[in-house]
Amino acid sequence: MKKVYIYIAAMCLAALTGCIKEEISTLSYVDLDVNVTRANNSSQQGDQIEEIMIWAFEKNTSGGVDSDKIASGWRRVYNLQNTYTSTSVHLQLPMCGSGGAQYRLIAIVNPAKFGATIDFNGSTEYGQLTSATFTAPDDLMSATEETNPGSPAVMPVSHWADITVAESNTHENTDNTSGWQHFSVNMPVFRAVAKTQFFVTRKGDFDITINNLELRSGNIPNNGVVLSESAPADLEANAPALDWFSSTAPTYGSAVSYDVLSVPTGGVTGLVDEADDKNTTYTRIGSRIIYESANVATSAENYAEPTDKDGYYYYINYTIGEDSFEKYVAIPYAVVRNHDYQVRATIENTKTEVKFSVTYTVKPWVSQTNDNITFK
């Protein structure tokens, strides 16, 4: 799974508005070290960093954050020019007395990929962030290559973490002679979109051509949700539950959407034979980056056109000899960010009939290589 770990170091300052004289402590600087797991050690399918924004919202006495709250600390780092070079991010956070203060940190990575309608800044209220939806740019959501859906260089990435900054959990920053205190927390963030892939294998020795593959929905999300309320462990599950903040939901379009995935002119031929049950070789036919969705489609008997089309489902057309076949395959899950929804179809020709069967795999959107990138 792609994660960005943000380590926030907090240190103290000598005067602070809002603390009584006896409670005055020092204001904390925050140093972020970001460890990024990139896909296949390349820029494909995201994982580059162009810009980072961090907010620190002080919690109220009930342990929540007021919706109209302005961040106690905010910082933006930008103009990274699609590189992985080192940069610096510092936040100043108040810490009154030995009891300290509780904060909810929110991270938005690559805000431009959340679309032009999003205008994040230091005056953004907490409720505006938790209720925000986004429409990603076309270069992210449009499939232009079979193996790299949309081939985006940069992904929309976000999440949050709760921390307590107190004298008891800070230590002296030995790299600085000013006497600042140091505080570190681990903050995972996740891609705010998901992806789906369709694979096919042939069982038996026969000629087959995949003519067309489409991803459809009768009630497709028109946008995504900026933040998930899910805990990191829930977003790392193989079949996670959808969990948005209560004031947030995407909008849906009621018309059936036909999204043609890239199939080469003349179709896909030369599928590799299924070797055996333990070593099946599949050919990827198409893939697509998709928004989260609470809607679920249901496959009909014998993979006929579904009657419930609200969720995502595939349409596939293939030819064996002079016979043409078409099947409809639903994705029978709610779609959750940073997950990969894989469909594997097996087409078998027994000479007396042609069989079509499907298996599903849902897993975190896994990247292949780990590269530790330190922002100093």
Side-chain angles (χ1 to χ4, degrees):
M1 168 188 296
K2 179 244 177 103
K3 293 186 198 174
V4 180
Y5 290 94
I6 301 180
Y7 297 92
I8 301 189
M11 294 154 283
C12 305
L13 182 84
L16 184 62
T17 303
C19 298
I20 62 174
K21 185 175 181 180
E22 292 78 13
E23 291 180 331
I24 287 178
S25 189
T26 56
L27 188 66
S28 302
Y29 277 95
V30 183
D31 294 328
L32 282 72
D33 293 332
V34 182
N35 299 323
V36 179
T37 303
R38 293 185 296 162
N40 301 317
N41 197 28
S42 75
S43 63
Q44 298 300 323
Q45 295 191 8
D47 307 325
Q48 294 190 57
I49 296 175
E50 292 183 328
E51 183 177 345
I52 303 173
M53 292 184 183
I54 301 290
W55 291 259
F57 293 96
E58 189 169 1
K59 290 190 165 187
N60 56 35
T61 56
S62 300
V65 181
D66 297 330
S67 62
D68 60 352
K69 189 75 171 179
I70 300 295
S72 300
W74 176 78
R75 190 65 186 271
R76 175 191 178 205
V77 176
Y78 59 100
N79 284 343
L80 299 183
Q81 298 179 353
N82 270 351
T83 67
Y84 294 95
T85 56
S86 296
T87 188
S88 298
V89 179
H90 299 279
L91 285 182
Q92 295 181 335
L93 296 178
M95 184 175 69
C96 298
S98 60
Q102 294 183 336
Y103 294 94
R104 170 156 289 184
L105 305 174
I106 291 181
I108 302 293
V109 181
N110 303 324
K113 289 301 177 181
F114 286 90
T117 59
I118 297 297
D119 183 20
F120 296 129
N121 55 59
S123 298
T124 302
E125 297 176 356
Y126 176 76
Q128 291 176 311
L129 284 170
T130 57
S131 63
T133 58
F134 70 97
T135 302
D138 289 341
D139 67 338
L140 179 72
M141 304 306 295
S142 298
T144 56
E145 295 179 14
E146 293 174 24
T147 55
N148 296 300
S151 298
V154 185
M155 285 285 185
V157 174
S158 64
H159 209 50
W160 54 270
D162 292 335
I163 65 169
T164 300
V165 180
E167 292 181 0
S168 60
N169 60 11
T170 63
H171 63 274
E172 184 177 353
N173 184 357
T174 57
D175 295 333
N176 197 305
T177 59
S178 67
W180 295 335
Q181 294 296 302
H182 187 90
F183 176 63
S184 297
V185 296
N186 182 20
M187 183 180 177
V189 299
F190 303 87
R191 297 178 181 96
V193 290
K195 75 173 178 179
T196 180
Q197 304 182 79
F198 197 99
F199 303 83
V200 177
T201 191
R202 176 185 64 179
K203 188 173 183 180
D205 185 12
F206 58 95
D207 293 331
I208 180 173
T209 300
I210 308 298
N211 303 309
N212 190 26
L213 180 68
E214 298 174 358
L215 183 64
R216 299 181 177 184
S217 177
N219 204 11
I220 194 169
N222 293 323
N223 50 25
V225 172
V226 172
L227 290 170
S228 170
E229 195 173 10
S230 297
D234 295 329
L235 285 177
E236 292 167 357
N238 286 342
L242 201 58
D243 189 14
W244 297 313
F245 287 91
S246 58
S247 59
T248 309
T251 59
Y252 293 87
S254 58
V256 175
S257 172
Y258 296 87
D259 200 1
V260 180
L261 278 69
S262 298
V263 175
T265 302
V268 177
T269 58
L271 295 183
V272 179
D273 288 343
E274 179 188 58
D276 54 51
D277 290 341
K278 297 180 180 179
N279 185 27
T280 302
T281 302
Y282 289 87
T283 300
R284 188 207 316 254
I285 306 302
S287 55
R288 173 69 75 170
I289 293 173
I290 53 178
Y291 290 122
E292 292 180 290
S293 177
N295 296 330
V296 179
T298 303
S299 289
E301 185 177 357
N302 198 29
Y303 300 99
E305 186 169 7
T307 55
D308 183 353
K309 302 176 182 179
D310 278 356
Y312 292 104
Y313 64 97
Y314 281 100
Y315 166 80
I316 184 171
N317 178 279
Y318 56 94
T319 302
I320 300 175
E322 297 181 355
D323 297 324
S324 182
F325 302 84
E326 59 180 19
K327 299 293 182 180
Y328 298 82
V329 182
I331 299 177
Y333 308 95
V335 172
V336 181
R337 67 186 56 210
N338 205 64
H339 278 74
D340 183 3
Y341 294 80
Q342 299 180 3
V343 179
R344 286 177 168 80
T346 299
I347 301 173
E348 180 181 4
N349 189 356
T350 66
K351 305 306 181 183
T352 59
E353 64 175 328
V354 175
K355 296 181 179 180
F356 183 92
S357 60
V358 165
T359 60
Y360 299 93
T361 301
V362 179
K363 63 181 182 179
W365 187 335
V366 176
S367 300
Q368 302 302 317
T369 327
N370 293 338
D371 290 276
N372 294 329
I373 300 159
T374 302
F375 289 73
K376 297 181 179 178

